[in-house]
Amino acid sequence: MEVFSGRPRGPERHPPVGGSRARRASLLDLHSAAGQVFLLQVVIVVLLVVAAVGAMALQAASDALQQGRRESIIAAESFASAPGVAEALQSPDPTAVLQPRAEAARKRAGVDFVIAMNTDGIRYTYPYPREIGKKFVGTIEPALKGRTVVEQAGGPPLPAGRGTDVQAVVPVTDSHGKVVGLVSAGITVRNVAGLWMPQLPIILGSGVAALALAVTGTTLVSRRLRRQTYGMAPVELAELYRHHDAVLHAVREGVLITDADGRLLLANDEATRLLGLPADVRGRPMRELGLPEPITRLLSSPEAVTDEVRLVGDRLLAVNKRPTYPQAGSEGSVVTLRDTTELAAVSGRAEVARERLKLLYEAGVGIGTTLDVERTAQELADVAVPQFADLVTVDLLEAVLRGWEPTAEGWRQLRRAAIGGEQRMVPVYPLGEVITFSRRTPQMRSLQERRVVLEEDLRQAHGWREQDPERAGKALECGLRSLVAVPLRARNVPLGVANFYRTVDSPAFEPEDLTFAEELAARAAVAIDNARRFTREHAMAVTLQRSLLPRRQPEQDALEVAWRYMPAEAGVGGDWFDVIPLPGARVALVMGDVVGHGLHAAATMGRLRTAVHNFSTLDLPVDEVLGNLDDLVVRMDNEENTDDAGEGQEGEGVTGATCLYAVYDPVTEACTMARAGHPEPVVVRPDGTVTCPDVPASAPLGLGGYPFETVELSLPEGSQLVLYTDGLVEDRTHDIDVGMERLRRALGGSGGRTPEETCQAVIDSLKPSHSSDDIALLTARTRRFPRSDVAMWDVPPDPAVVPSVRARCRETLLEWGLEGAAFATELIVSELVTNAVRYGSPPVGVRLLHGRSLICEVSDGSGTSPRMRRAATTDEGGRGLFLVAQFAQRWGTRYTTHGKVIWAEQLLHDGASAASGLAPVDFLLDQFDDPGL
């Protein structure tokens, strides 16, 4: 027999929906309409949810009780009809047979008890054996008659505990249908409740979820209502409506609201007055109001309108039309009407005034962007055309263009500086032409009388036509109509004249135009005068700086040199360069840059250049030259920063300078250089390879106390050394790395170029359109001193070898074709070698260089420098260097790492020494004690 459990499977449980979302404080404000609606809706929702939850709980309990009754009947009938139950009830000991079977059936059926009893109600089975044999508690009479009884009754204790139980009593019949016993099965109330209690969380969760959804919906509705009512109370809403209605009908602007069908929904008092509407217009179509067709068509169309002027009666109405609530998809329109009848009379003048103000603003911005006189004059002409005039010419005094202070003597001659407009259609004097105006012309009258001159009709302007009748006639034929001549004056100084012309296609100038023309010219005159003064000061500064820079190349055999210098547009700076011949056919190259701009920087540059010349004359090593220059800059800084220094000096405080100093020796092809904060040089090899030698970057000049590192490069003949200042490679638009790369590209393939061509190629590639810093560029191509023009040999430290040295010197000079210089050279070599052997230390060497001049060098290992003195008649010596100085063009001492070199240079003219005739023989012999020498 198949037995089913009496507990149905409930639905799957879900956790209740989370709590309601937090309300804003404004929703709980009971003074607002939204707060009141929110509270009322929440109360209604809570009551509905509570009632629904209660009804669901009662229904679940009733369903559970019915389920318990069914399970009791099924269990009782199943046991009563089981095989052997009727026979067991008639057996001598029914309890022994039925008690185990009843307990097993109870457990299988899931009920609390299964009781078998006789027809008298005496129990044969019971979960607790002690209760067997007692009277059954319940109704059994209907069951004895063959019916099933279901009831709630109490009884003895059960495994589920005491309490009311739901029990069913069914008869047990034998094979003849006779009731031989009864079977009762039941469930206690506690177990019945267990049938519906699992559904209680679902019921409560559903209630909570329903409450949350209802409160959320209520919150959204209340928020929307709050946005619509702005959180105001009903009384405030009513008051707001009254205020809105009062303002709507009080404003001096007509307001109309129409729906999508063109019906009038609202018209305030001003709209009614402007359109002449009747009183009962609300709800009527716009086409039935009797308005003029243009305004009716405008108000009925769905298109938006902005400040369209329509004539309604004798009024000019400015109409603006927009859709009502376009974000809500409404197709209605709101129309505003403004009476512009009075404004129409002044709108033209206001528009002209607005255009004039705009033009003056453009003049203030567009005139004077540069400090160039002609460019500033052209900016005036460009600004005035075509807003104010059809043709503009600007004539300036010659002195103004040159930067000079103008004088009255040069008024009649003016130079055409700018032309604006369509000059090809009207014949005018071309740019740059000097014009001599007669005294009756408007231009000269304007200058002399210091006022604006108006010629409304040029056909009647006799003075203007007398200036150049032929040109004037052609101009009139081309349509030239009127002229305004305005003097350009600044600081009560005349600068020139601005001429504004109009053609027949434009209205003639009127007297009210004169004030504007004068204002426009006054602004331009200030800018022109500033440019004039800058031109003068810039010319002075450039003249000063160019006077401090090299004017021509010095004579030397080591390098082929070319240079470029371009001052900045805003003023000169402290860039400088130099090429300085040194003893021994060597050449020093200098490139420097003083911090700052102006005359002070230029003057400082001149001082530094002079100092470099002096240090070079001493033939100091490269690092010592920069060290001495550094000390000089420090002293200059200290001088500038003293307490008694003048106030307001331009560029006060020389904060530093940069410098690159290089010495090239054409004999050894070695170049020794060092740089103090200066950009590194670039070397172009003879094959066109561009490299940047790794010259150590030392501190700029003026910091004091920092050493300067030197480097020695080998530059084969034909190599080009390129020195420059930072203005060439640095710009506001890019950094120095970009500039260096551009410089390398410009120098690429320059191995076959001359230094002049290299300079031009670099300038063409790198020169900015508007330079804010000076640019200095120096290109030097190396030469090698011919080996055949160099003679050198070592000298043993013995005075007896001096005659042999003279003889060898004579032989060398004969090979070079310098017989005329042999006597002086032998004398010089003899004296220098004698001094080196007698007072110096080995090794002693002699070197002769034959180039533009004849150079004699004697080296020794001593660091003591000889000093020339004038020997007395009683002295036995001291006349050697005096003889050398008399026969040589110049002489000096150069120190080396191993000693010193005493050199003497003779200028050559046709193979003879130029100094041979400078010292009379008698005068030289008088310097010796022995007249026989």
Side-chain angles (χ1 to χ4, degrees), residues 27 66 114 232 262 308 337 371 400 511 594 735 765 778 804 846:
L27 294 180
Q66 292 297 328
V114 175
M232 294 186 294
E308 286 204 17
L337 307 171
L371 291 173
V400 174
V594 176
D735 56 15
S765 300
L778 176 64
S804 63
V846 176

Side-chain angles (χ1 to χ4, degrees), residues 3-7 67-77 79 102-115 127 158-160 165-168 183-188 191-192 195:
V3 180
F4 295 94
S5 172
R7 299 176 186 271
Q67 179 69 18
R69 293 164 67 89
R70 288 192 299 271
E71 292 184 2
S72 299
I73 293 173
I74 293 172
E77 288 180 349
F79 189 79
E103 286 301 302
R106 176 180 69 83
K107 294 178 181 180
R108 287 195 304 270
V111 295
D112 291 330
F113 60 88
V114 175
I115 302 173
L158 294 170
D165 56 6
V166 178
Q167 60 186 13
V183 175
S184 177
I187 302 176
T188 63
N191 285 346
V192 172
L195 296 176

Side-chain angles (χ1 to χ4, degrees), residues 28-46:
L28 301 179
D29 185 6
L30 298 182
H31 294 287
S32 65
Q36 295 176 10
V37 172
F38 175 76
L39 182 61
L40 180 60
Q41 288 179 334
V42 168
V43 171
I44 294 174
V45 168
V46 170

Side-chain angles (χ1 to χ4, degrees), residues 668-718:
T668 61
E669 295 183 331
C671 181
T672 304
M673 64 178 67
R675 60 188 179 111
H678 202 80
E680 61 180 343
V682 179
V683 175
V684 182
R685 299 292 178 177
D687 59 356
T689 304
V690 180
T691 60
C692 291
D694 189 14
V695 181
S698 303
L701 302 177
L703 299 181
Y706 290 92
F708 298 95
E709 300 183 48
T710 62
V711 66
E712 183 173 309
L713 307 176
S714 177
L715 298 180
E717 185 176 12

Side-chain angles (χ1 to χ4, degrees), residues 259-410:
D259 61 8
D261 298 329
R263 295 182 179 275
L264 185 62
L265 301 180
L266 181 144
N268 68 346
D269 294 344
E270 183 66 10
T272 302
R273 183 184 70 85
L274 294 176
L275 298 177
L277 300 177
D280 54 343
V281 294
R282 186 170 184 178
R284 295 174 57 182
M286 294 298 299
R287 296 191 175 276
E288 298 180 2
L289 300 181
L291 298 175
E293 179 60 24
I295 191 67
T296 300
R297 185 169 56 254
L298 179 64
L299 297 179
S300 301
S301 65
E303 290 81 8
V305 175
T306 301
D307 288 338
E308 286 204 17
V309 179
R310 290 290 186 271
L311 180 63
V312 180
D314 57 349
R315 292 188 177 92
L316 287 175
L317 301 183
V319 182
N320 287 275
K321 184 179 180 182
R322 293 291 184 274
T324 56
Y325 307 109
Q327 65 276 11
S330 175
E331 297 182 359
S333 301
V334 57
V335 181
T336 59
L337 307 171
R338 186 173 66 255
D339 190 356
T340 61
T341 305
E342 297 179 357
L343 296 177
V346 297
S347 61
R349 294 194 297 272
E351 180 66 19
V352 172
R354 187 183 69 82
E355 291 296 332
R356 293 290 172 82
L357 289 176
K358 180 181 178 182
L359 185 56
L360 286 177
Y361 171 77
E362 293 177 355
V365 174
I367 299 177
T369 58
T370 65
L371 291 173
D372 182 81
V373 175
E374 295 185 5
R375 178 59 187 165
T376 305
Q378 187 61 48
E379 289 171 347
L380 168 61
D382 295 339
V383 165
V385 176
Q387 292 90 338
F388 180 67
D390 298 319
L391 176 67
V392 177
T393 61
V394 180
D395 303 322
L396 299 179
L397 300 176
E398 188 71 23
V400 174
L401 292 171
R402 296 178 179 271
W404 303 339
E405 194 75 16
T407 58
E409 289 77 9

Side-chain angles (χ1 to χ4, degrees), residues 724-736:
Y724 54 91
T725 56
D726 56 2
L728 182 68
V729 294
E730 284 187 353
D731 195 0
R732 296 177 180 176
T733 59
H734 56 75
D735 56 15
I736 191 171

Side-chain angles (χ1 to χ4, degrees), residues 583 617 828 832 835 856 865-869 880-894 901-906:
T617 302
I828 293 173
L832 294 182
N835 285 339
C856 177
S865 175
R867 180 174 58 89
M868 186 180 67
R869 62 186 179 87
L881 290 180
F882 181 80
L883 291 175
V884 172
Q886 294 299 317
F887 281 95
Q889 179 69 21
R890 55 178 182 159
W891 74 279
T893 303
R894 178 173 76 251
V901 175
I902 302 178
W903 56 270
E905 181 178 357
Q906 304 174 70

